Amino acid sequence: MFNSIRKNQQWLMALVTIVIIVAFVFLYNQTDLEKLGSSSMGSAYGKKVTSLDFSKASRQFEIARELQLFELLQTLAVGPSREPAEEYFWNTQVLRNQAALLQIEPSDDAVAQRIKELPAFQKDGQFDLATYQQFVTVALTPRGFTTNQLEELIRDELRLKTLHDLVSSASVVPEGEVREAFANAYRKRHLQVVKLSSKDFENVSAPTADEIKAHFDKNQAQFQSDEKRALKFVAFILSESEAALTGKERIAVLQPISEKADEFSQRLLKPGANFDAIATELGVEIKTTALFSSSTPPTELADIPQLSAAAFSLTKESPDSDVFQTDKGFYLLHLIDVQPSVPQTLEEASAKISEILRQEKINTALQTKAAELGVTFALSLQLGKSFTETAQTARLEVLTLPAYSPADLQAQQSEFTVDRLIQARAASVAEKTVSDFIPTPDGGAFAYIEKIDPLDDAKWNSEKEAVLDRYTSSKREVTFNEWFRARRAAANFKSGPQAS
């Protein structure tokens, strides 16, 4: 089929390629190896599949990745095992079985044309024979493949496309369904909100000694002292005036201290290196920290979080760090002591337990109040009372948030805020309805959808075609994926040596 491509190659390249191919085909030849025996991987459609089958599919999977056949891989390399090569192997069995049942078999001309179109073989927008030949030599031959395996891979890609089009074409998407989805995304919501703050419930009773002891006895394994560490470190840092420099001037003053820090680091790598001795030789002052935990960094490193964190990755076997660059300069750390975590006594854990129990009581009081308000809002609205009137009766302030649509929230790239969280959770609430209680980092809230604006018909008409295309494409993708998963389940694959 591909003689028209290969016939123009130089005779020397042909000879070298043929010799290499023969060698690797002999090495990987399945028929010869089967004589030596191969382990069973299980069975597919009642036929035994071997480790050789799986090996071939794995190598084909690698070729698909190198050629960036993403549509093929998105379908065949995903599944319950989460091992892409394994999923590719089993899903390929499904693809070929279903294609055979539906008599889907790409022609030789279609395969040749698709190979010519692959971006990996293009140069200046045209198929490049030399690039193709290089791929054969560099990517196929070392894996024991010839162009036959490449063509087989492309046949699978074309089978999948035809199968996808055939199955998904049955998906009909009514315009009304798309219009409703569009409306849900773009209609503006007008929101009223009441917030509950955890701080309003802080007057709970303090935990008793019995409550603290009971919690300790039940969760004793959780209460451990913090592991602590002590360090020596050297710093190659800029002066205040040097730190204020920018551009080339900053680079100029950084260069010599960078080289000195690198020299220190290189000396540490030598057998028998001694941190103190190197510092003395280079005339660098050694500083020492007291024992500290990860949550309470030493004063000397408090404004450089990455250094105190790095201290807890050092070990007694590997006590020296790499060079750390910071805004101030360069640092190297040396671990000198480790105080391991040990179980705490009741007395040591009491303060932490007291705070845990106190927070639990605050949360319980908050949730109890929220449950009461939820019932109150529901009953009041049924009786015709307004959300504002009910909130004021409960001595709660009513806030009005800016009108928004779910599409607005999705388009925004702003930082997280409590109001944005409330808007997102209230997006699916119906008009004239109160939301369930919405927990927030500082308490919680109830949201009332006062009004939802009608759909902007002009916006719908201007975007309808594009939206229909996207929605239809998405629906067809879902339809095909569900169909393919069902076909795989029906295949009832069996894996393991005893499965066949």
Side-chain angles (χ1 to χ4, degrees):
M1 170 185 44
F2 234 68
N3 289 335
S4 60
I5 294 177
R6 292 194 290 265
K7 67 181 182 180
N8 296 315
Q9 59 191 336
Q10 297 179 2
W11 70 269
L12 182 57
M13 176 64 75
L15 179 60
V16 172
T17 302
I18 289 171
V19 169
I20 296 174
I21 288 174
V22 169
F24 277 97
V25 168
F26 175 78
L27 176 63
Y28 282 99
N29 186 276
Q30 181 168 329
T31 302
D32 291 340
L33 287 173
E34 282 183 337
K35 294 177 182 178
L36 301 176
S38 60
S39 59
S40 172
M41 286 288 294
S43 63
Y45 296 102
K47 295 182 180 179
K48 175 183 175 181
V49 291
T50 69
S51 56
L52 291 176
D53 297 324
F54 179 75
S55 175
K56 177 184 175 183
S58 296
R59 285 177 275 135
Q60 211 161 24
F61 166 72
E62 293 168 0
I63 295 298
R65 287 200 302 187
E66 291 187 26
L67 292 175
Q68 300 183 3
L69 303 181
F70 296 130
E71 292 185 7
L72 180 75
L73 295 174
Q74 284 171 0
T75 298
L76 301 187
V78 296
S81 79
R82 298 186 181 180
E83 290 293 334
E86 183 177 344
E87 292 304 331
Y88 180 86
F89 171 69
W90 293 110
N91 286 331
T92 299
Q93 312 304 311
V94 179
L95 170 65
R96 293 173 181 173
N97 175 270
Q98 294 300 310
L101 289 175
L102 296 171
Q103 298 183 347
I104 296 172
E105 185 58 24
S107 67
D108 290 349
D109 288 343
V111 172
Q113 182 59 37
R114 174 55 182 153
I115 290 176
K116 290 180 181 180
E117 293 170 354
L118 290 175
F121 304 145
Q122 299 290 307
K123 186 175 181 179
D124 299 327
Q126 300 289 329
F127 173 76
D128 183 63
L129 179 61
T131 302
Y132 170 79
Q133 291 172 339
Q134 183 181 21
F135 185 84
V136 171
T137 302
V138 174
L140 296 185
T141 302
R143 291 183 170 97
F145 282 172
T146 68
T147 56
N148 290 336
Q149 282 73 43
L150 172 62
E151 291 164 9
E152 182 181 33
L153 177 62
I154 298 305
R155 285 189 193 281
D156 283 339
E157 184 192 36
L158 296 176
R159 288 178 184 125
L160 179 63
K161 185 180 186 308
T162 304
L163 198 57
H164 184 285
D165 292 344
L166 182 64
V167 172
S168 64
S169 63
S171 297
V172 178
V173 183
E175 181 178 320
E177 180 181 330
V178 181
R179 190 179 192 278
E180 182 179 354
F182 186 85
N184 287 335
Y186 285 96
R187 293 172 66 189
K188 298 280 187 181
R189 274 77 169 159
H190 296 262
L191 210 61
Q192 292 182 330
V193 173
V194 295
K195 298 180 179 179
L196 300 181
S197 173
S198 297
K199 292 181 179 179
D200 295 335
F201 301 89
E202 290 184 341
N203 60 344
V204 294
S205 60
T208 66
D210 288 343
E211 288 174 331
I212 293 174
K213 185 177 186 308
H215 187 89
F216 179 78
D217 290 343
K218 184 178 179 180
N219 305 280
Q220 191 168 354
Q222 298 178 11
F223 297 103
Q224 304 281 326
S225 65
D226 291 334
E227 178 183 314
K228 293 185 178 181
R229 297 191 166 208
L231 299 174
K232 289 179 180 178
F233 69 92
V234 292
F236 304 85
I237 58 177
L238 302 171
S239 66
E240 288 189 14
S241 59
E242 290 172 334
L245 298 174
T246 59
K248 292 182 179 179
E249 293 179 338
R250 184 179 178 85
I251 294 174
V253 297
L254 274 175
Q255 186 65 34
I257 65 173
S258 171
E259 291 174 353
K260 197 169 184 179
D262 186 61
E263 182 182 356
F264 197 113
S265 178
Q266 292 301 316
R267 291 195 184 190
L268 278 176
L269 297 175
K270 295 179 180 179
N274 181 277
F275 192 89
D276 291 15
I278 295 171
T280 301
E281 291 170 9
L282 295 179
V284 185
E285 179 186 2
I286 297 177
K287 297 182 179 180
T288 305
T289 73
L291 285 163
F292 65 93
S293 68
S294 59
S295 59
T296 56
T299 305
E300 301 91 337
L301 304 176
D303 57 344
I304 314 173
Q306 68 265 39
L307 294 185
S308 54
F312 286 83
S313 66
L314 301 177
T315 65
K316 292 181 179 179
E317 294 73 25
S318 300
D320 301 312
S321 74
D322 293 328
V323 177
F324 285 94
Q325 182 174 358
T326 72
D327 292 339
K328 295 183 177 182
F330 305 89
Y331 291 78
L332 289 101
L333 312 179
H334 177 81
L335 180 66
I336 57 176
D337 193 14
V338 176
Q339 186 179 92
S341 174
V342 296
Q344 290 180 316
T345 64
L346 173 59
E347 183 179 357
E348 292 170 332
S350 288
K352 184 175 182 180
I353 295 174
S354 180
E355 182 58 26
I356 290 172
L357 295 178
R358 181 174 171 275
Q359 287 298 324
E360 287 180 356
K361 290 186 176 186
I362 291 173
N363 290 336
T364 298
L366 173 66
Q367 293 297 328
T368 300
K369 182 63 175 178
E372 293 174 357
L373 283 174
V375 173
T376 299
F377 281 126
L379 292 175
S380 296
L381 291 176
Q382 288 178 11
L383 294 173
K385 293 183 179 181
S386 70
F387 178 78
T388 300
E389 181 183 0
T390 305
Q392 289 174 345
T393 301
R395 298 181 180 180
L396 295 170
E397 180 184 5
V398 177
L399 304 173
T400 300
L401 299 187
Y404 74 100
S405 70
D408 294 335
L409 296 181
Q410 189 172 3
Q412 292 171 2
Q413 299 298 322
S414 56
E415 294 182 3
F416 167 84
T417 64
V418 170
D419 286 351
R420 188 173 180 185
L421 169 64
I422 294 170
Q423 288 174 323
R425 291 289 301 274
S428 59
V429 176
E431 193 175 53
K432 304 297 183 185
T433 302
V434 180
S435 71
D436 293 333
F437 184 64
I438 302 171
T440 64
D442 56 356
F446 287 97
Y448 174 69
I449 303 294
E450 183 183 16
K451 183 177 71 170
I452 300 179
D453 289 342
L455 175 63
D456 183 343
D457 287 329
K459 181 175 182 63
W460 164 247
N461 289 330
S462 67
E463 300 185 27
K464 178 170 63 175
E465 294 304 321
V467 172
L468 280 169
D469 285 345
R470 290 198 302 271
Y471 199 91
T472 300
S473 176
S474 177
K475 188 74 175 286
R476 287 179 174 175
E477 196 65 32
V478 169
T479 297
F480 178 77
N481 288 339
E482 290 178 349
W483 176 87
F484 195 87
R485 281 195 295 269
R487 299 288 82 72
R488 171 165 170 158
N492 192 27
F493 291 136
K494 296 179 181 179
S495 59
Q498 308 304 320
S500 58

